Amino acid sequence: MAYRRTPAVQARLDAQREAVLQSAVGLLAERGYGGCTMAAVADRAGIATGSLYQHFANKAELSVELFRRVVTREIAAVNAAVARRDAPQQRIAAVVETFAARALRAPRLAYALLVEPADAGVDGERLVFRRAFRDVIAAEIAAAVAAGELPEQDPVLTAAALVGAVGEALAGPLAAEPAPAHEPAPAPEHSDNTTVVPALVSFTLRALGGRDDSDA
């Protein structure tokens, strides 16, 4: 007869897996993917390394699940910010503003999400990540065009270009003076968001063909 886990055993394993992922998120924010070894994650979670393999076959599998966990949180934050704005252009600005501000507040984590060399599986998830943000922006561009607030354009193409431009603009500040794998990264220049974030929002509105408040 095949062994079947009891509800109590399954609940214990689920709780352990959640503790592992929470510990891995903390390590990723401090040390990046290089510091998220199976042994380090197990140690942070307070379990034996062998027990970690009950949940993830290898570091690559753990890294993909970790990436998805963090990205889901970031997308939720962006969607919440968008929902608080009324006009389509304001909603597009909210996407860029929220994404950039959160990245600069947690530079080591954002560096890992956007830039740090990682397994091929993570690179594949990065493409999904970029497309998710593209789709959020594209929907708002389409609404703004339909409302006559923006000139005619291809919403998906414009959104993809904006996602690429914003990611490239953030790469420099996030990668500035990267810390060793065992040390937290120092805060990048402009991490207070007083310059970078407003500049990115202004760039976005101008690129869309809309009106930036600074034009007044």
Side-chain angles (χ1 to χ4, degrees), residues 119-204:
D119 296 314
V122 171
D123 286 338
E125 292 298 318
R126 281 177 175 149
L127 180 58
V128 176
F129 178 42
R130 290 196 296 270
R131 286 174 175 168
F133 276 99
R134 178 204 65 188
D135 291 346
V136 171
I137 295 174
E140 299 304 333
I141 293 174
V145 170
E149 297 183 8
L150 290 177
E152 287 291 333
Q153 56 193 288
D154 182 333
V156 174
L157 180 62
T158 301
L162 285 173
V163 170
V166 171
E168 182 65 24
L170 288 173
L174 295 178
E177 301 181 13
H182 62 283
E183 297 179 6
E189 187 179 359
H190 305 308
S191 62
D192 60 359
N193 304 339
T194 58
T195 301
V196 174
V197 175
L200 285 174
V201 171
S202 179
F203 163 79
T204 297

Side-chain angles (χ1 to χ4, degrees), residues 25-51:
V25 169
L27 280 173
L28 185 66
E30 295 170 11
R31 308 179 186 178
Y33 285 113
C36 284
T37 64
M38 298 292 274
V41 171
D43 182 66
R44 176 68 65 92
I47 63 175
T49 303
S51 297

Side-chain angles (χ1 to χ4, degrees), residues 53-168:
Y53 286 95
Q54 290 182 294
H55 304 284
F56 302 99
N58 47 48
K59 181 183 175 181
E61 185 176 300
L62 172 62
S63 295
V64 167
E65 185 62 27
L66 176 57
F67 186 92
R68 290 172 179 168
R69 167 66 64 95
V70 177
V71 165
T72 297
R73 184 178 68 189
E74 295 306 306
I75 292 175
V78 166
N79 284 330
V82 168
R84 291 192 292 269
R85 307 290 178 90
D86 295 323
Q89 287 192 67
Q90 293 177 345
R91 292 160 71 89
I92 297 168
V95 175
V96 175
E97 181 180 31
T98 303
F99 175 72
R102 289 175 64 85
L104 292 171
R105 282 199 298 268
R108 191 65 185 87
L109 181 60
Y111 178 81
L113 291 178
L114 297 173
V115 181
E116 183 180 0
D119 296 314
V122 171
D123 286 338
E125 292 298 318
R126 281 177 175 149
L127 180 58
V128 176
F129 178 42
R130 290 196 296 270
R131 286 174 175 168
F133 276 99
R134 178 204 65 188
D135 291 346
V136 171
I137 295 174
E140 299 304 333
I141 293 174
V145 170
E149 297 183 8
L150 290 177
E152 287 291 333
Q153 56 193 288
D154 182 333
V156 174
L157 180 62
T158 301
L162 285 173
V163 170
V166 171
E168 182 65 24

